[in-house]
Amino acid sequence: MGQYNGLSADIYQASLQIGNLDITRGIRIKSCNIYEGISQLIPTCEIELVLPIEVVNNNSEILTDGAKIIIQLKTRDDFTAFNIDETYNFRLYEVSDIEVDSTFLHCTVYGVFDCYKLFEDGNQYNANANTSEIVCKIAGACGLECDKDGTSDKQLWIAGEKNARDFIKYMARYGYIDDTSGIFWCVTRNKKLLYKNIIRFLKI
């Protein structure tokens, strides 16, 4: 999980765009969180905003389903402890906690990692192959880098009624490397699809 707020402004230069509107100019961002991990599979973001009513009236598309959310985060040039220069892409899927007064709209915007191909029909990836090979094929089609542990589970794998995301979830459940392996998968905010043996990370 990451967070940008005023407390870290001395370290980071951050910008936020929703639709075609640069949110970082004249609009208050109360908080901006990015969540990722093996428990939720696909990254999401949560942004608390205070928008002038005039801005909302003139840019109503910024709060519509599917609007692009682009978050850019960069460490300032004079901060040398570490260097970050990254762009994260999401799609808006929910607006909640809406409060409106005569001047401002307060709301929370939620976005999901922008990779719509993961929600398309998984049957295009059916194959008689190892699951690690199929997962990397899906990753390539989605514009993701594949970081995998090779499996030894070659057989005919069929998605059936599953989309690509659920197909990967299914393969991770039944995928096999050896008798002690346990496979997990997730997508990172940096466009990497992980398909890994969790046992490797537990061994000392």
Side-chain angles (χ1 to χ4, degrees):
M1 179 186 75
Q3 182 179 53
Y4 169 80
N5 54 38
L7 296 177
S8 55
D10 57 335
I11 299 175
Y12 302 110
Q13 291 177 309
S15 65
L16 170 65
Q17 180 178 323
I18 301 179
N20 294 319
L21 182 65
D22 184 352
I23 300 296
T24 49
R25 297 187 178 185
I27 297 170
R28 183 182 175 195
I29 304 172
K30 296 179 67 176
S31 67
C32 179
N33 295 285
I34 296 174
Y35 303 96
E36 64 177 352
I38 63 174
S39 62
Q40 69 177 70
L41 305 182
I42 298 176
T44 59
C45 67
E46 177 186 34
I47 306 165
E48 291 184 78
L49 297 172
V50 180
L51 302 165
I53 291 296
E54 181 181 358
V55 170
V56 177
N57 290 339
N58 294 333
N59 302 274
S60 59
E61 74 283 353
I62 68 171
L63 298 180
T64 57
D65 189 36
K68 288 184 177 181
I69 300 174
I70 302 174
I71 301 170
Q72 293 179 305
L73 188 63
K74 183 178 181 179
T75 45
R76 294 186 178 278
D77 293 338
D78 57 353
F79 189 82
T80 58
F82 57 89
N83 182 58
I84 293 177
D85 187 358
E86 299 179 346
T87 300
Y88 316 126
N89 296 278
F90 298 88
R91 290 280 182 173
L92 188 150
Y93 72 88
E94 183 181 353
V95 180
S96 67
D97 304 322
I98 299 173
E99 297 180 13
V100 182
D101 57 37
S102 59
T103 309
F104 295 100
L105 167 69
H106 302 247
C107 66
T108 302
V109 171
Y110 298 90
V112 64
F113 182 76
D114 187 9
C115 191
Y116 69 91
K117 285 185 175 293
L118 278 174
F119 300 94
E120 292 183 342
D121 183 10
N123 284 292
Q124 59 188 305
Y125 306 108
N126 294 345
N128 187 353
N130 292 316
T131 58
S132 55
E133 297 168 345
I134 299 173
V135 167
C136 280
K137 183 178 179 181
I138 296 174
C142 294
L144 304 173
E145 178 186 349
C146 184
D147 185 353
K148 66 175 176 63
D149 288 334
T151 58
S152 302
D153 50 17
K154 184 175 181 179
Q155 65 175 48
L156 180 60
W157 294 93
I158 298 176
E161 297 181 355
K162 303 174 185 65
N163 60 27
R165 179 198 61 179
D166 291 339
F167 191 23
I168 298 174
K169 186 177 180 179
Y170 171 79
M171 289 187 289
R173 180 179 180 184
Y174 294 105
Y176 177 88
I177 297 175
D178 57 41
D179 290 342
T180 64
S181 61
I183 298 174
F184 75 89
W185 80 279
C186 64
V187 175
T188 74
R189 69 187 189 282
N190 302 111
K191 299 183 178 180
K192 181 179 290 188
L193 195 159
L194 305 181
Y195 190 76
K196 309 290 286 185
N197 181 10
I198 197 169
I199 302 301
R200 289 181 55 194
F201 301 95
L202 301 177
K203 292 180 178 179
I204 299 177

